[in-house]
Amino acid sequence: MASGGGIGSREGAGGARMTREQSRANTRERLLAAARSAFARSGFHGASVEEIASEAGFSTGALYSNFDGKEDLFLELMEREIDEHARELADAVRARASVAERATGGARQWMTMIDREPELLLLFMEFWAYGVRDPQVRPKVAARFAQMREVLTRLIADGVREFDLELAIPAEQLAVAIDALADGIARQKLADPDAVPDELMGTVLSLLFSAVTRPAAGTDTRSEA
């Protein structure tokens, strides 16, 4: 096992020598990969720092020299996972011909994630329940969940601008409602898959957008010949 994270030069892929910064970055990446595996397997509370460090091939000293502990590891992992999902969501909705198609594309991407990585969603739920009970942790948890709402807010604002629409409520509030809907759909799908058709979220989102959007003032809504 390595005894520390990123101290001195180390050999990387192909035998190339790594700088101190590269070695530290490599250690962090291995610890995060091991943490993701351990959390998925055992849950946030079930996974231990000893298990994570051992799986990464390091001592617990290396873990604590790179992270404050299990909670810090999880928060960074959560931030990365949300960033990745945000990129996938943005790719799924951009360059579509209507608000309804964007809603359907985004919903399909969310349902795909539920099927592909159910353990990740369960981890987020577990950590949310843990975090909101602790006044010291709650702001950190809130900041991670705010990442997704900020992404949704930008996507909504982009669609409103591109399709010359107005919203009946602020984009930020609509993003909160959509995020809550997505979380609720995920919980229902994980508990009782047969009760939640894959197209349900897209249908509900399309209806929601239809209800809260209207042509912007001054927009010519007449059909063109």
Side-chain angles (χ1 to χ4, degrees):
M1 282 192 209
S3 60
I7 304 302
S9 296
R10 300 288 187 273
E11 287 193 359
R17 301 288 288 181
M18 290 191 290
T19 65
R20 181 189 301 267
E21 291 74 19
Q22 289 172 330
S23 179
R24 182 176 178 83
N26 179 63
T27 299
R28 288 176 65 87
E29 290 299 322
R30 287 169 60 182
L31 286 165
L32 284 164
R36 193 186 193 284
S37 175
F39 287 139
R41 182 172 60 248
S42 306
F44 173 73
H45 292 291
S48 68
V49 292
E50 292 80 10
E51 175 186 4
I52 293 167
S54 177
E55 187 162 332
F58 296 110
S59 67
T60 54
L63 189 152
Y64 283 112
S65 71
N66 284 274
F67 299 94
D68 289 339
K70 185 169 70 169
E71 181 185 297
D72 188 37
L73 255 174
F74 190 91
L75 286 167
E76 181 158 341
L77 183 63
M78 186 176 183
E79 184 172 348
R80 289 183 172 210
E81 293 294 340
I82 290 174
D83 282 344
E84 178 62 26
H85 177 58
R87 285 191 291 272
E88 292 179 357
L89 180 62
D91 290 342
V93 303
R94 287 194 176 119
R96 291 181 179 262
S98 69
V99 170
E101 288 185 18
R102 290 190 175 193
T104 301
R108 187 178 298 115
Q109 178 60 38
W110 179 244
M111 300 307 292
T112 297
M113 181 184 174
I114 296 173
D115 289 337
R116 184 184 68 202
E117 298 183 293
E119 72 285 347
L120 185 63
L121 294 170
L122 289 170
L123 274 172
F124 283 7
M125 294 175 193
E126 180 187 357
F127 197 74
W128 173 87
Y130 159 73
V132 296
R133 291 189 178 99
D134 187 331
Q136 300 300 317
V137 181
R138 189 186 305 129
K140 301 174 185 178
V141 175
R144 298 315 188 273
F145 281 98
Q147 286 177 248
M148 199 66 235
R149 294 198 303 274
E150 290 167 4
V151 170
L152 291 171
T153 299
R154 288 197 300 271
L155 291 174
I156 292 166
D158 288 347
V160 166
R161 182 180 63 255
E162 291 169 24
F163 295 112
D164 292 321
L165 299 171
E166 291 180 352
L167 289 171
I169 61 174
E172 294 83 358
Q173 294 181 14
L174 183 55
V176 170
I178 293 171
D179 198 27
L181 172 64
D183 286 345
I185 288 285
R187 286 197 299 272
Q188 296 287 334
K189 185 72 171 177
L190 290 171
D192 189 358
D194 293 337
V196 184
D198 287 343
E199 68 276 8
L200 176 62
M201 185 171 171
T203 299
V204 174
L205 276 182
S206 294
L207 291 170
L208 177 59
F209 274 108
S210 179
V212 301
T213 59
R214 58 179 176 265
T219 300
D220 187 354
T221 60
R222 294 172 299 177
S223 297
E224 296 183 0

